[in-house]
Amino acid sequence: MRRIIQVPEGVRPETPDLPSLSMDESVWEDGYSLVIDELAHGALQTFWKHYYGASAEMVISGQQLAEFRKEIMAAAPNCASKPAVLEFLMQLARICARARRQKHSLHVVAD
């Protein structure tokens, strides 16, 4: 399982009770070709390319959050046939917007 954790500046991602979003492997698998085929490059493609290990972990902050959200919203219409993938993308877009407003970062952790 992967988790996307909203982390305030100066706080460690391991801190309990931080807002987070979980990504099940089935969502990753179902959305893989939909996301990878749609995007030639960018943070969302990088995010979706790997599910396990250190290569699946990343930190997104500042202006990157706006770009990441834009990529999510561009890929979302292609995922309408996969409701779980679409719902995950919409939740990911919301956590991106909230993190940007609050000047937090998102930490992607592969558990």
Side-chain angles (χ1 to χ4, degrees):
M1 171 150 334
R2 290 172 83 188
R3 290 185 308 129
I4 299 91
I5 306 166
Q6 183 180 332
V7 182
E9 188 174 332
V11 174
R12 298 185 52 82
E14 300 84 17
T15 302
D17 301 324
L18 291 175
S20 66
L21 173 63
S22 295
M23 180 186 202
D24 290 331
E25 185 175 6
S26 62
V27 169
W28 174 71
E29 289 173 347
D30 287 348
Y32 191 85
S33 64
L34 298 171
V35 172
I36 295 296
D37 292 348
E38 175 64 22
L39 304 168
H41 63 290
L44 183 59
Q45 186 188 54
T46 301
F47 169 83
W48 219 278
K49 193 170 260 188
H50 303 284
Y51 187 81
Y52 301 103
S55 58
E57 299 190 353
M58 60 193 300
V59 176
I60 306 163
S61 61
Q63 184 60 31
Q64 291 175 322
L65 287 166
E67 293 300 317
F68 192 48
R69 186 173 185 282
K70 188 186 300 184
E71 292 170 13
I72 293 166
M73 298 311 290
N78 295 330
C79 300
S81 64
K82 301 285 185 175
V85 175
L86 181 59
E87 177 60 27
F88 174 79
L89 287 173
M90 294 298 93
Q91 290 176 358
L92 186 57
R94 285 192 288 277
I95 200 171
C96 278
R98 187 172 59 236
R100 186 160 187 253
R101 263 192 324 276
Q102 297 174 349
K103 299 187 181 349
H104 294 174
S105 59
L106 294 181
H107 292 241
V108 181
V109 179
D111 291 332

